[in-house]
Amino acid sequence: MSDKKNIDFNSIYCGLQPDLGRFRLSQNGLGWKGGRDRTIIVGTDELKKMSWTRAARGFELRVLKKDNTVLKFDGFKPDDLDELKEAIKIFYKLPVEVKEVSVKGWNWGKADFQGSNLNFSVANKTMFELPLAQAIATNKPGKNEVAINFVDPGQPAPEGINPKDIDELMDVTFYIPGTVAKETTNGENNANVEDDEEEEVNADMVFYENVKSKLELSQMTTENIVQFQEALCLTPRGRYNIDMYQDFLRLRGKTYDYKILYKNIIKLFLLLKPDEVHVLFVIGLDPPLRQGQTKYPFLVFQFVREEEIDVQLNLEDSTLDEKYENKLQKHYDAPTYEVVSNVFRALTNRKVTVPGSYRSHHGANALKCSMKANEGFLYPLEKSLLFIPKPPTFIPLNEIAVVTFSRVGQSGGSSRTFDMKFNMKGGNDIQFSSINREEYANIEDYLKQKKIKIKSEGNEDVVMTYTDLAGLDEDDDEDDDTFDVRKKRRTDPSSSMGRSNLGAGGAGADDEDESPDEDFAPDSDSDVPEEFDSDAQGSSEGEDDAGSV
């Protein structure tokens, strides 16, 4: 052993990489070489500590460098430990610590941050370790809870890996009760112990801030280009700081913190609201953003149209010219929505879609409607339709089979609105309701220009909305006279349609056309007398005089 200059181990993995490679120990340091020219070399003077533990793919040699970064090499066999110990002792004068893994199956223990890793141990034995450098977000889903998100569902698998052959950790949630003493930067004497006890903070918030700092450290490989503060997001609801970097952006809110790669942004929309006071900026994502079990394929931000911003981009002039081809300016002093859309367009290299030639009856770019119980705006664009803000629904024109209008030609004119249903080629239907009847001609012309098949169902049974009920108020006066006549007949015992016929079903025809008793007054003198009331006849005669027509 002492005569060997190199010790090699084959079929060894490096970290989370799927490639097998050759691991080598030598007097000058250690190294690993895998497929596709992947090589890692660590000099002898960089080594600080080494440990041996059980791993998923055999046994693992963990190398801690002096800068506190950790390298993991696994795939070793149990018999390799003695040879590794001897070689590391000779080459680097370092011991190899053997660490046992907890297999009790407990779900409570101690969490410890070691570099960019989170170590969870039970009874001083490591149970598992999470590489926070691989995490994409963290949030607080509930009281005393902290969740760490790793891979979004639907995200493409790494090159050379079949997603059906592997299992991945999507997210993990920790429950952290209690409080801890607030940390101080300067030392304090024992006389301030009572003050320290009062300055306690929730343990879950300390844990959450630690995770956030690790995520920020792993993501801050470059300085942020620009930050937009307190941007109002309608979907999902909240205010976020938007930090723009060269390859990704970060959304930082009070509860949620996300990292979004620019390559996952597939669509951008800039839309003026019908009130002409606000502008909506919509970001389409694939894979969608997740909050717990809820997925958000679109982010909807709202900006005040007249609000302006003055920002300076953290980019060199050479970078602006070479990398971004003058798509960005060094300095912006313009409306906020213009600056945000320009920066997103340049960094994501995506086109920003704006409204086309469609105009509503009132001259707006969108028409007001409802999707199930949610009110919003439907924007007919050049190649698609977009409903916002909740739930954001994208409808490509080339996927529409037929559009069906309901309650457009309804007889009687009692309805002020109509419904519109999109039958998609994929088999699903998307329906919008409570559309003002004045909008029918414009949306019909738009669909005809796009050569989309249209049909109308005027006689189908539909559900009446609150907007339709408001339209019936105009007919109330017409029904009042009819109601008074019916009331006279019910209270007149001499009438052929009186009480004697109710039991035999003689009032069945009147009940079909009867309007609601909106004019009934409980305290008036027009109460219907009971059959056993001795004053029934006199009361009826009084009503005959008052109710005669």
Side-chain angles (χ1 to χ4, degrees):
M1 175 66 195
S2 58
D3 298 335
K4 293 183 179 181
K5 295 182 179 180
N6 301 318
I7 303 296
D8 294 341
F9 297 89
N10 295 318
S11 301
I12 303 300
Y13 297 95
C14 179
L16 300 176
Q17 298 182 15
D19 299 333
L20 288 169
R22 183 176 61 184
F23 180 75
R24 170 173 291 183
L25 299 172
S26 67
Q27 293 181 352
N28 297 326
L30 58 86
W32 177 87
K33 184 175 183 180
R36 290 175 285 185
D37 297 329
R38 294 183 178 178
T39 303
I40 294 177
I41 299 175
V42 182
T44 303
D45 55 347
E46 299 180 53
L47 300 174
K48 180 179 180 180
K49 186 179 180 182
M50 296 192 187
S51 60
W52 172 273
T53 187
R54 187 74 170 86
R57 296 179 290 194
F59 284 83
E60 175 184 273
L61 179 67
R62 181 172 305 180
V63 179
L64 177 65
K65 299 170 61 176
K66 291 182 179 179
D67 59 0
N68 289 328
T69 58
V70 178
L71 296 175
K72 302 175 183 178
F73 304 95
D74 63 305
F76 291 98
K77 300 176 183 178
D79 299 337
D80 295 334
L81 176 59
D82 293 335
E83 188 175 2
L84 273 172
K85 276 186 173 182
E86 185 179 355
I88 292 172
K89 183 178 180 180
I90 294 174
F91 292 152
Y92 317 123
K93 305 297 188 292
L94 292 175
V96 176
E97 181 184 0
V98 178
K99 291 186 176 181
E100 296 185 16
V101 179
S102 175
V103 292
K104 289 185 176 182
W106 294 359
N107 66 337
W108 67 91
K110 180 181 179 181
D112 185 28
F113 294 93
Q114 299 178 354
S116 61
N117 296 323
L118 172 60
N119 185 284
F120 188 85
S121 59
V122 176
N124 296 325
K125 295 182 180 179
T126 300
M127 185 175 180
F128 62 84
E129 191 175 65
L130 299 177
L132 297 182
Q134 303 294 324
I136 60 173
T138 180
N139 58 78
K140 285 183 55 56
K143 184 179 180 181
N144 298 330
E145 292 182 349
V146 178
I148 304 175
N149 309 109
F150 287 88
V151 180
D152 277 332
Q155 181 172 332
E159 185 179 353
I161 294 181
N162 185 357
K164 296 182 179 180
D165 296 338
I166 61 173
D167 293 322
E168 285 187 283
L169 175 65
M170 296 298 179
D171 51 53
V172 59
T173 302
F174 294 92
Y175 177 75
I176 310 164
T179 59
V180 295
K182 185 177 180 180
E183 295 183 358
T184 55
T185 54
N186 53 350
E188 298 183 4
N189 52 31
N190 295 332
N192 296 328
V193 172
E194 295 182 358
D195 295 337
D196 291 343
E197 291 178 353
E198 295 178 356
E199 295 184 5
E200 289 189 344
V201 293
N202 292 333
D204 60 318
M205 287 304 301
V206 175
F207 186 89
Y208 175 64
E209 293 298 332
N210 279 333
V211 175
K212 282 182 63 176
S213 65
K214 302 298 179 182
L215 292 181
E216 293 174 0
L217 202 59
S218 63
Q219 295 170 6
M220 301 277 183
T221 54
T222 58
E223 188 177 7
N224 66 323
I225 296 175
V226 66
Q227 182 188 73
F228 303 107
Q229 296 184 351
E230 295 294 317
L232 175 61
C233 188
L234 302 182
T235 307
R237 192 78 182 180
R239 288 192 176 272
Y240 295 87
N241 289 342
I242 307 176
D243 295 328
M244 309 291 292
Y245 296 87
Q246 292 188 6
D247 300 318
F248 63 92
L249 66 90
R250 288 187 60 231
L251 294 180
R252 295 189 295 109
K254 292 183 178 179
T255 306
Y256 295 95
D257 193 323
Y258 294 104
K259 172 184 176 182
I260 300 174
L261 300 177
Y262 291 147
K263 65 180 182 180
N264 294 340
I265 297 178
I266 57 174
K267 297 182 185 299
L268 296 173
F269 299 91
L270 188 63
L271 309 169
L272 178 65
K273 290 186 70 173
D275 61 9
E276 297 187 354
V277 176
H278 299 94
V279 179
L280 301 174
F281 184 63
V282 185
I283 304 172
L285 300 175
D286 186 20
L289 193 70
R290 288 197 310 136
Q291 283 188 2
Q293 298 300 320
T294 306
K295 297 181 180 180
Y296 293 95
F298 289 92
L299 307 180
V300 183
F301 288 92
Q302 178 174 285
F303 299 96
V304 179
R305 189 179 182 184
E306 301 299 329
E307 180 183 315
E308 295 188 353
I309 188 173
D310 188 350
V311 295
Q312 187 91 5
L313 301 189
N314 297 324
L315 290 174
E316 300 294 335
D317 293 336
S318 58
T319 305
L320 291 172
D321 296 338
E322 297 173 4
K323 185 172 182 178
Y324 299 106
E325 300 176 352
N326 294 322
K327 294 180 181 179
L328 289 174
Q329 303 176 16
K330 181 72 174 179
H331 177 261
Y332 283 95
D333 186 4
T336 306
Y337 72 89
E338 289 186 6
V339 179
V340 172
S341 60
N342 286 336
V343 172
F344 268 86
R345 180 179 58 184
L347 296 180
T348 63
N349 200 25
R350 295 289 183 182
K351 177 184 175 182
V352 178
T353 303
V354 296
S357 59
Y358 171 83
R359 293 295 181 270
S360 69
H361 176 75
H362 301 285
N365 297 320
L367 55 91
K368 188 177 181 179
C369 60
S370 297
M371 186 175 181
K372 297 182 179 178
N374 301 305
E375 284 192 352
F377 300 100
L378 181 65
Y379 286 83
L381 307 174
E382 291 301 318
K383 296 182 180 180
S384 62
L385 295 101
L386 181 66
F387 176 80
I388 50 178
K390 183 180 180 181
T393 305
F394 179 71
I395 308 175
L397 295 180
N398 57 4
E399 296 183 10
I400 300 175
V402 61
V403 178
T404 304
F405 291 98
S406 304
R407 302 187 299 139
V408 175
Q410 208 172 48
S411 60
S414 61
S415 177
R416 295 178 178 178
T417 64
F418 66 93
D419 299 340
M420 182 169 54
K421 181 168 65 175
F422 291 85
N423 304 102
M424 310 302 292
K425 294 179 181 179
N428 59 314
D429 297 337
I430 303 173
Q431 182 163 346
F432 301 98
S433 61
S434 302
I435 307 173
N436 196 312
R437 182 170 288 187
E438 297 173 341
E439 304 288 355
Y440 176 74
N442 292 21
I443 190 64
E444 184 186 33
D445 291 341
Y446 167 81
L447 295 173
K448 287 181 178 179
Q449 291 176 5
K450 302 302 179 182
K451 299 180 180 180
I452 296 175
K453 185 178 178 181
I454 303 173
K455 71 176 183 178
S456 178
E457 296 181 1
N459 297 325
E460 66 176 1
D461 294 333
V462 295
V463 178
M464 188 171 291
T465 63
Y466 286 105
T467 307
D468 302 331
L469 292 177
L472 298 180
D473 293 340
E474 299 176 354
D475 301 331
D476 288 345
D477 296 337
E478 298 178 4
D479 296 338
D480 288 343
D481 295 339
T482 305
F483 169 71
D484 291 338
V485 173
R486 291 197 190 105
K487 184 170 66 173
K488 172 182 176 297
R489 291 173 180 174
R490 290 196 301 269
T491 58
D492 189 355
S494 63
S495 174
S496 61
M497 299 297 293
R499 291 188 304 272
S500 60
N501 291 334
L502 290 177
D510 287 344
D511 290 342
E512 291 179 0
D513 299 329
E514 185 175 350
S515 62
D517 293 340
E518 296 179 1
D519 295 336
F520 175 69
D523 298 330
S524 67
D525 295 333
S526 61
D527 294 341
V528 179
E530 301 293 343
E531 294 183 1
F532 54 80
D533 192 345
S534 60
D535 298 331
Q537 185 66 27
S539 177
S540 299
E541 292 175 356
E543 289 184 6
D544 289 342
D545 295 337
S548 60
V549 180

